[in-house]
Amino acid sequence: MNLDDLIRPNVRAMKPYASARDEFQGTAQVMLDANENSLGSAGGQAFNRYPDPLQRAVKAEVARLKQVRPEQIFLGNGSDEAIDLLLRLTCVPGQDSILILPPTYGMYEVAANLNDVAIERVPLTADFQLSDDAIDKVLASDAKLVFICSPNNPTGNLLHAAAVERILRGFRGLVVVDEAYIDFAAAPSWTTRLAEFANLVVLQTFSKAWGLAGLRLGMAFASPALIGYLNKIKPPYNVSETTQQHALAGLADTGGFEQMRRELLAERGKLAAALPAVGIVEHVFPSDANFLLARFRPDATAVYDYLLGRGIVVRNRTTQPGCAGCLRLTVGTPAENEQMLAALRQFPG
């Protein structure tokens, strides 16, 4: 794969915006270069200076944790920013396409529609895996990007590594493996194989296992050349100073992260064991994430509405391909999980 051949010609040729903090890094006695408010900040806290546009301190900690190099990391306003930028980087509006594997995360389609990019759909099997026929269709595609959500959302399962590897070795565009839920899976991240595949992009997030959804901080891992292109087209200050500070605090609390991760995994196991005994539950799908997809009978939407009436909000996925009759249940606290189970046991039907 020649990366430059995948990048839109106008992006290859464009000159990126150079912010004041790109041209001068660090501090000085008198900083009058960025048109900031030198008097301070309204509200008492000092946020009058622009943040590091390349988030160097956060990337150094992420690189240490993930065993990659800082130049292999892009940080954005949630993973959604990386998804949008990958489309804008490679896909000419009205001309190019992406490929998705439904049922899957809905933002790939939203980003494609926003950027006037066509969508090719290759459905997963009934057990939410890639068939040989599906892999052949992916490899025959001229799409610029294929999005592989693993663990998958809304189904919760990892896609078989051998199938993903076949796509990485044969697909002519970029292969984006979305690992938002990888911390809940008993499998290595594809970041461990970045050196093998020049066309590999791995997405991760601070929103799930780290419990930092309110910060809106996502990660993309790829070759330094591709990360350089993403930095070229991103907004100059796309990650706020507040977010960077809180991310560093979170990254310093690996003990707290691990404790939460283990508790969520234990609660997932309890839920997965308890749900099949509930009369209205027809099937619970295996999960490598912090949620369970369950099929309800006779009417999942009626169950959803009933739970809502009891003050319990789950996700209705009945309209998603292959998910008829299914609700997605996030693993909560022990008390929340027990409250949901008790409500399901009392469903009038």
Side-chain angles (χ1 to χ4, degrees):
M1 184 203 73
N2 186 332
L3 177 61
D4 285 343
D5 290 341
L6 293 177
I7 305 301
R8 290 167 57 186
N10 62 307
V11 173
R12 292 201 305 267
M14 70 177 272
K15 182 179 180 181
Y17 175 77
S19 72
R21 289 298 159 263
D22 286 313
E23 295 178 359
F24 175 81
Q25 299 159 24
T27 58
Q29 279 190 312
V30 180
M31 298 184 69
L32 303 176
D33 59 337
N35 298 338
E36 300 154 326
N37 187 335
S38 298
L39 303 182
S41 306
Q45 290 184 285
F47 291 110
N48 56 316
R49 299 300 181 188
Y50 284 111
D52 177 0
L54 291 176
Q55 310 95 30
R56 293 170 181 85
V58 181
K59 285 180 180 177
E61 291 304 307
V62 172
R64 180 186 58 78
L65 182 70
K66 303 290 184 179
Q67 296 296 294
V68 298
R69 291 177 285 154
E71 57 267 30
Q72 292 176 296
I73 305 168
F74 172 84
L75 298 179
N77 182 14
S79 297
D80 297 338
E81 182 177 20
I83 291 167
D84 179 64
L85 290 179
L86 285 165
L87 265 81
R88 288 198 273 162
L89 185 65
T90 60
C91 296
V92 177
Q95 177 177 315
D96 289 320
S97 65
I98 67 165
L99 193 150
I100 62 174
L101 309 170
T104 192
Y105 181 45
M107 277 305 297
Y108 312 141
E109 188 165 343
V110 170
N113 289 334
L114 178 64
N115 288 285
D116 192 20
V117 171
I119 303 166
E120 300 176 33
R121 296 173 179 84
V122 177
L124 298 174
T125 61
D127 60 349
F128 308 126
Q129 291 293 341
L130 279 157
S131 66
D132 288 340
D133 180 62
I135 294 172
D136 289 341
K137 289 178 180 177
V138 173
L139 298 184
S141 171
D142 289 324
K144 287 292 190 72
L145 303 163
V146 56
F147 285 95
I148 301 175
C149 193
S150 182
N152 192 30
N153 179 10
T155 64
N157 63 293
L158 283 162
L159 272 64
H160 293 151
V164 177
E165 183 166 338
R166 281 182 60 189
I167 291 172
L168 278 163
R169 295 194 182 282
F171 184 66
R172 293 184 292 276
L174 294 178
V175 179
V176 185
V177 181
D178 190 340
E179 293 186 337
Y181 300 94
I182 192 63
D183 294 307
F184 304 108
S189 166
W190 283 93
T191 56
T192 60
R193 304 186 67 180
L194 284 171
E196 288 181 60
F197 304 108
N199 59 338
L200 173 61
V201 183
V202 180
L203 303 181
Q204 293 185 10
T205 182
F206 284 91
S207 294
K208 311 302 179 184
W210 289 92
L212 298 173
L215 290 187
R216 305 307 304 129
L217 185 60
M219 299 168 275
F221 303 89
S223 69
L226 182 56
I227 297 301
Y229 273 121
L230 289 173
N231 288 332
K232 184 178 185 179
I233 66 171
K234 76 175 183 68
Y237 303 111
N238 62 323
V239 178
S240 75
E241 179 65 24
T242 305
T243 295
Q244 293 186 46
Q245 289 181 13
H246 282 289
L248 286 169
L251 287 162
D253 186 21
T254 53
F257 161 82
E258 183 59 24
Q259 181 178 342
M260 286 193 299
R261 190 185 72 86
R262 289 182 181 275
E263 182 172 351
L264 286 168
L265 288 174
E267 286 301 307
R268 183 184 76 189
K270 292 176 185 177
L271 266 182
L275 280 167
V278 177
I280 58 173
V281 175
E282 183 178 308
H283 183 69
V284 179
F285 292 91
S287 176
D288 299 291
N290 68 333
F291 61 86
L292 293 167
L293 187 74
R295 180 166 286 130
F296 289 80
R297 54 178 173 240
D299 183 353
T301 297
V303 177
Y304 171 83
D305 291 337
Y306 161 77
L307 289 174
L308 199 58
R310 299 283 295 263
I312 301 168
V313 186
V314 297
R315 196 78 188 270
N316 192 342
R317 299 286 80 187
T318 55
T319 61
Q320 298 299 301
C323 298
C326 290
L327 304 180
R328 194 188 72 187
L329 315 173
T330 301
V331 177
T333 65
E336 289 170 338
N337 297 333
E338 195 50 52
Q339 185 177 348
M340 179 181 66
L341 284 168
L344 290 173
R345 294 183 186 113
Q346 296 164 13
F347 180 76

